[in-house]
Amino acid sequence: MTVETQKTAASEKAAGKKGVGADGERRLNMIDAINDALDIMLDRDPNVVVMGEDVGYFGGVFRCTAGLQEKHGKTRVFDTPISECGIIGVAVGMGAYGLRPVPEIQFADYIYPGLDQLISEAARLRYRSAAEYIAPMTVRSPFGGGIFGGQTHSQSPEAIFSHVSGLKTVIPSNPYDAKGLLIASIEDNDPVIFFEPKRIYNGPFNGYYDKPVEPWKKHAQSIVPEGHYRVELGKARKVTEGDELTVLAYGTMVHVAEAVCAAKGVNAEILDLRTIVPLDIEAIEASVKKTGRCLIVHEATRTSGFGAELSALVTERCFYHLEAAVERVTGFDTPYPHSLEWAYFPGPVRIGEAIDKILSE
Amino acid sequence: MADRPDQAQQGQNKPTLQLHVPEPSYRPGDAVDFGHLTIPEAGAQPRPDEGCEASETNPLATDLIRVLGDDNLPHGPWDPKLDADTLREMLHHMAMVRAFDERMFRGQRQGKTSFYMKCTGEEATSISAAMALASDDMVFPSYRQQGILIARGYPLTEMINQIYSNSADKLKGRQLPIMYSSREKSFFSISGNLATQTPQAVGWAMASAIKGDSRIAATWVGEGSTAEGDFHAACTFAAVYNAPVILNVVNNQWAISSFSGFAGGERTSFAARAVGYGIAGLRVDGNDPLAVYAAERWAANRARSNAGPTLIEHFTYRAEGHSTSDDPSGYRSAQEREEWPLGDPVMRLKDHLIALGEWDEDRQKSLDEDCATEVKKATKEAEKNGILGHGLHHPFRTMFEDVFEELPWHLKEQSAQAIRERETKFPEGLSE
């Protein structure tokens, strides 16, 4: 976990630095890209407020809000009580007033006390009031495992939110997308759950936990332009072009799938879904109809995971193009174990086995 | 000798532990005697300055602020000194709510809608409170505060359109009857989930303070729902940020069939919750319209001057069932309503105006008749737009709107499916 003090985009900007690397490009890690997006939106829109446990003076346990309170003031960026129900509840009220709150839930595992406010209130407010009131909030929350967080700091609960009508769920996999998707989410008039895969905050972890992780600066998607830009919600990104197999993934698993396909020499077309609601069904259909094979990879538990929805959609829409059964690679249906983290994690072995199976049919 | 657990005594605890399951004093058929309730004299309670330390109100959190005495005249420092016109306006709103409740209840029994909730006996807790607020102060009500809408002049016909879920219902037939919403009247969309509105009100108040606005927020919640975590989150946030908000707890003694003991009412008052949070707490006779007005006004002044939030317990009695789906004769004594020691808020206000020489029984009679006529007229008007289940509702396609700002592909597909189903069922065609 990153609790050491880091330079952030906001602090760099304050110091007049640009974060420019040797190649002349501005390269940021996920944390700085998120910080940059928040900084820009706090600047551009006086109705944006950032709040959450430890996000104010301290700048967040993962440093995503570092420097923001100092720059934008205590009534724009502030700490909250340890009450997720309260954090989401007051964000609903702030949205009704006309603010655009960006609450942080410190770990996705802590979001459950706020579920009623998210599911019954934020998600339903537009519908139940016939658009008299809306809940334009973006709930940021680090999620996923791979940092030895044990069962209460490692979960991937995205499927719960995809099941709720009225919520959008966004999961970036790299610094460029993290900034553009976060800006698009904050500007969106619907409530958005923005899950940040914490394992890749500092580098594109590829699943080979016994090998060193490359820093973001060596990755093409770490080039993060200055200023405002959007990555539209509901548009998947084609990570690799291929014709043997379609891989549907998001967050950390994009990088793991990419590494495994490269290691196995499989000519896979990997789609980074980026948002699961709204879902880029056109990109999924086009790719699967082309390759005839589909592998779905997510870190979350298997039963009723989002992979089940994807598998059903692909089967419903691409059945006559499929040459093999759709495969899912997921976490196991157990709590995330602390000591056996890597046995739980859907790593290269599990993915490789699934690829072999699909390609053998 | 140190008081430490004795190993030899383990399992030998005496007496054996006993679970206390609260039981109300009276069940159906029981004779009722409310003699155990402490009802102080009207006017006996001190009125601290609105800007006082929260702790200065602590005694008031277990007392009972009362203004109208047995002589029907106001007493003591909490007398809000309202002029006769204002009092008559308040009485008019109360008579209107009562007439409205009567007719809507009947409408539900006649099959015009699925559900209704009366507020009989609790009219002051919404009407007198709403009149003490500015008309643009934001309210986050629970489900029994129709009095606020009526006090704020929201058209009766709009309320009935919502209750009938008809083609003119501004909420497009999506909400259970009485779950109103009116942005124009600064009235937040009512949720069927309890106490969720309390942190929302605090958040709205925080936003108003962030923006340097002058408007405050007020919320209403039943005593039963104060058991929800949301209420405690609301109190914490209100205290932490000194939010300009009023938390009204309507203690009407009953949460469907569960008496207030199941929310902790046997141990202390609901206003006393405020003490632990360090916010101002007032316990007020909820059937005394002047006391309710005065307490709400005090809290509004306090909030508006950045002196902080207030929790007000309105001690009242739910004179009717929880809703049209409830029959209270199955769980409580019918005598409770008759014996309720704080009387009826409408009668008390009427008697007060009569005592002032500003009203009489004939005028009351014609007021009641006028209200009934006005409600009847509004009902007829609303019925032109349809009643529940009789075909006149919002266009079919609106079912899929407002889930999101824009219709995503999966909802477009589901909408097409719904239209196909309708065409299959009604091949001869329907207008919508």
Side-chain angles (χ1 to χ4, degrees):
Chain A
M1 277 191 261
T2 29
V3 283
E4 75 272 24
T5 308
Q6 290 185 357
K7 281 183 180 165
T8 64
S11 63
E12 278 180 8
K13 200 175 262 184
K17 295 177 195 167
K18 301 268 183 185
V20 176
D23 56 358
E25 298 285 2
R26 180 177 188 256
R27 291 179 180 274
L28 302 180
N29 65 20
M30 291 272 273
I31 293 165
D32 288 345
I34 288 161
N35 184 272
D36 197 20
L38 293 170
D39 185 29
I40 286 165
M41 289 312 296
L42 282 160
D43 259 338
R44 280 170 69 97
D45 185 348
N47 290 322
V48 169
V49 292
V50 171
M51 61 176 171
E53 296 155 17
D54 304 301
V55 309
Y57 181 87
F58 179 56
V61 296
F62 288 102
R63 319 301 304 142
C64 288
T65 56
L68 297 177
Q69 185 180 71
E70 190 183 8
K71 182 172 173 192
H72 298 280
K74 269 168 54 170
T75 61
R76 303 284 308 284
V77 181
F78 51 87
D79 291 334
T80 62
I82 303 171
S83 167
E84 291 75 17
C85 158
I87 293 170
I88 307 297
V90 300
V92 172
M94 288 174 174
Y97 180 93
L99 299 190
R100 210 166 267 282
V102 188
E104 175 181 303
I105 300 298
Q106 198 163 76
F107 287 86
D109 316 69
Y110 301 170
I111 206 167
Y112 308 122
L115 277 193
D116 190 40
Q117 285 288 346
L118 276 172
I119 295 175
S120 312
E121 302 294 318
R124 304 289 156 75
L125 188 55
R126 177 189 294 280
Y127 194 77
R128 83 174 195 222
S129 72
E132 272 199 327
Y133 296 101
I134 60 171
M137 71 170 79
T138 300
V139 182
R140 287 183 43 248
S141 190
F143 93 138
I147 62 155
F148 283 104
Q151 62 178 324
T152 55
H153 299 75
S154 303
Q155 294 169 66
S156 298
E158 70 275 13
I160 293 171
F161 300 95
S162 73
H163 194 57
V164 177
S165 47
L167 287 182
K168 294 179 177 172
T169 302
V170 178
I171 302 163
S173 73
N174 60 71
Y176 178 88
D177 283 0
K179 178 175 169 181
L181 287 168
L182 182 53
I183 288 174
S185 298
I186 294 170
E187 291 178 342
D188 199 279
N189 285 328
D190 291 313
V192 177
I193 310 298
F194 192 90
F195 281 132
E196 300 165 4
K198 55 183 164 307
R199 186 62 182 84
I200 59 170
Y201 268 148
N202 286 300
F205 174 69
N206 63 10
Y208 294 89
Y209 63 90
D210 40 2
K211 294 177 188 167
V213 180
E214 286 202 336
W216 273 112
K217 65 185 177 194
K218 292 189 177 174
H219 194 281
Q221 292 296 113
S222 73
I223 298 171
V224 177
E226 288 200 60
H228 176 275
Y229 68 88
R230 293 167 55 98
V231 172
E232 296 304 326
L233 307 187
K235 296 287 176 206
R237 181 175 72 95
K238 200 175 282 185
V239 180
T240 57
E241 183 100 31
D243 55 13
E244 271 192 277
L245 163 73
T246 296
V247 180
L248 305 180
Y250 44 85
T252 305
M253 302 317 294
V254 171
H255 304 284
V256 182
E258 191 180 1
V260 175
C261 289
K264 293 179 75 73
V266 177
N267 187 23
E269 184 149 292
I270 300 173
L271 291 184
D272 175 358
L273 299 180
R274 298 203 284 205
T275 70
I276 60 171
V277 180
L279 183 68
D280 191 347
I281 193 70
E282 283 181 27
I284 294 170
E285 267 192 70
S287 180
V288 175
K289 284 177 179 171
K290 181 175 78 173
T291 65
R293 297 173 202 271
C294 181
L295 171 67
I296 297 155
V297 188
H298 63 59
E299 193 182 328
T301 46
R302 186 175 188 84
T303 303
S304 301
F306 194 68
E309 179 66 25
L310 288 170
S311 174
L313 285 169
V314 167
T315 306
E316 285 163 4
R317 287 160 183 266
C318 309
F319 186 73
Y320 294 105
H321 294 80
L322 286 175
E323 293 173 44
V326 176
E327 284 290 324
R328 285 181 288 160
V329 172
T330 69
F332 294 127
D333 287 342
T334 68
Y336 220 116
H338 186 236
S339 64
L340 296 174
E341 178 159 277
W342 298 117
Y344 175 94
F345 189 85
V349 174
R350 208 175 305 160
I351 295 173
E353 186 183 290
I355 290 174
D356 290 345
K357 188 177 173 206
I358 292 182
L359 294 182
S360 70
E361 284 181 33
Chain B
M1 215 172 83
D3 182 17
R4 297 180 62 186
D6 182 348
Q7 296 294 324
Q9 291 295 310
Q10 282 193 15
Q12 306 297 311
N13 186 53
K14 293 230 169 74
T16 54
L17 299 177
Q18 292 180 325
L19 182 72
H20 171 73
V21 178
E23 183 62 28
S25 304
Y26 317 107
R27 288 298 193 186
D30 288 348
V32 171
D33 178 4
F34 282 122
H36 62 284
L37 293 180
T38 308
I39 311 293
E41 280 297 307
Q45 297 72 32
R47 184 185 183 283
D49 185 81
E50 287 100 329
C52 72
E53 290 294 323
S55 58
E56 211 177 307
T57 66
N58 288 359
L60 290 168
T62 48
D63 199 337
L64 195 66
I65 296 168
R66 306 182 72 226
V67 172
L68 278 176
D70 294 338
D71 56 2
N72 297 318
L73 290 171
H75 297 274
W78 286 93
D79 176 9
K81 298 190 165 55
L82 299 177
D83 60 41
D85 284 342
T86 305
L87 293 169
R88 278 189 289 262
E89 185 192 339
M90 195 183 282
L91 186 64
H92 186 149
H93 294 324
M94 287 189 178
M96 187 63 82
V97 168
R98 202 155 271 194
F100 187 81
D101 277 359
E102 198 50 49
R103 185 146 196 115
M104 290 302 104
F105 186 89
R106 201 145 33 96
Q108 191 275 342
R109 292 294 189 244
Q110 291 167 342
K112 292 176 182 173
T113 190
S114 56
F115 183 80
Y116 189 72
M117 303 181 99
K118 298 169 96 169
C119 67
T120 312
E122 301 172 43
E123 290 88 346
T125 64
S126 57
I127 291 167
S128 306
M131 287 180 71
L133 300 173
S135 61
D136 61 353
D137 286 335
M138 186 72 187
V139 298
F140 288 78
S142 180
Y143 48 72
R144 217 184 290 281
Q145 279 78 49
Q146 54 266 52
I148 299 172
L149 279 177
I150 286 180
R152 288 190 168 181
Y154 191 66
L156 298 179
T157 311
E158 296 292 2
M159 294 173 75
I160 304 169
N161 287 336
Q162 196 281 329
I163 290 165
Y164 288 170
S165 277
N166 65 22
S167 64
D169 171 13
K170 286 188 168 168
L171 305 185
K172 302 186 180 177
R174 291 173 182 158
Q175 276 273 54
L176 190 70
I178 65 93
M179 305 271 171
Y180 314 102
S181 174
S182 173
R183 194 177 181 91
E184 187 202 341
K185 296 294 178 191
S186 299
F187 186 99
F188 191 67
S189 158
I190 298 173
S191 176
N193 289 33
L194 300 177
T196 50
Q197 71 277 13
T198 56
Q200 294 164 1
V202 175
W204 196 98
M206 288 168 66
S208 191
I210 288 169
K211 288 292 187 183
D213 201 335
S214 61
R215 295 171 295 165
I216 63 169
T219 185
W220 282 255
V221 67
E223 92 286 350
S225 309
T226 63
E228 291 282 6
D230 298 59
F231 174 75
H232 298 274
C235 291
T236 300
F237 278 68
V240 167
Y241 301 103
N242 207 38
V245 67
I246 305 170
L247 303 159
N248 292 289
V249 175
V250 182
N251 177 5
N252 68 9
Q253 316 301 322
W254 291 93
I256 307 187
S257 73
S258 305
F259 83 116
S260 61
F262 280 95
E266 288 178 324
R267 308 297 175 205
T268 185
S269 76
F270 290 94
R273 300 276 183 265
V275 177
Y277 289 103
I279 64 184
L282 306 175
R283 187 165 176 268
V284 58
D285 175 352
N287 289 14
D288 177 342
L290 299 189
V292 169
Y293 183 99
E296 199 78 12
R297 189 81 189 154
W298 186 93
N301 291 341
R302 179 175 178 83
R304 234 182 284 282
S305 58
N306 283 318
T310 304
L311 191 165
I312 302 175
E313 174 186 350
H314 302 266
F315 193 72
T316 181
Y317 186 77
R318 193 192 79 205
E320 300 270 355
H322 168 71
S323 72
T324 48
S325 308
D326 177 41
D327 176 7
S329 71
Y331 51 79
R332 71 182 188 187
S333 171
Q335 264 190 29
E336 282 194 5
R337 178 177 179 169
E338 297 156 33
E339 296 295 324
W340 185 246
L342 298 174
D344 174 272
V346 185
M347 294 304 113
R348 284 176 73 183
L349 184 57
K350 181 196 80 172
D351 291 342
H352 172 48
L353 271 160
I354 291 173
L356 291 177
E358 295 283 351
W359 198 247
D360 57 52
E361 293 290 354
D362 287 343
R363 289 172 81 179
Q364 182 69 34
K365 190 162 172 284
S366 68
L367 172 66
D368 289 338
E369 286 168 1
D370 289 350
C371 288
T373 305
E374 198 175 325
V375 172
K376 188 176 177 184
K377 194 168 147 239
T379 308
K380 295 289 168 209
E381 192 61 32
E383 284 177 10
K384 289 179 192 165
N385 307 313
I387 56 175
L388 183 67
H390 285 244
L392 268 175
H393 47 67
H394 267 269
F396 189 56
R397 59 181 160 72
T398 61
M399 185 167 114
F400 294 90
E401 294 170 359
D402 298 326
V403 178
F404 295 102
E405 187 172 34
E406 288 168 12
L407 209 59
W409 65 267
H410 64 283
L411 287 179
K412 283 181 191 158
E413 287 189 357
Q414 290 167 28
S415 173
Q417 162 77 19
I419 288 165
R420 275 200 308 281
E421 285 174 13
R422 204 158 165 82
E423 286 165 354
T424 306
K425 188 167 185 204
F426 305 104
E428 69 283 5
L430 279 174
S431 58
E432 283 285 358

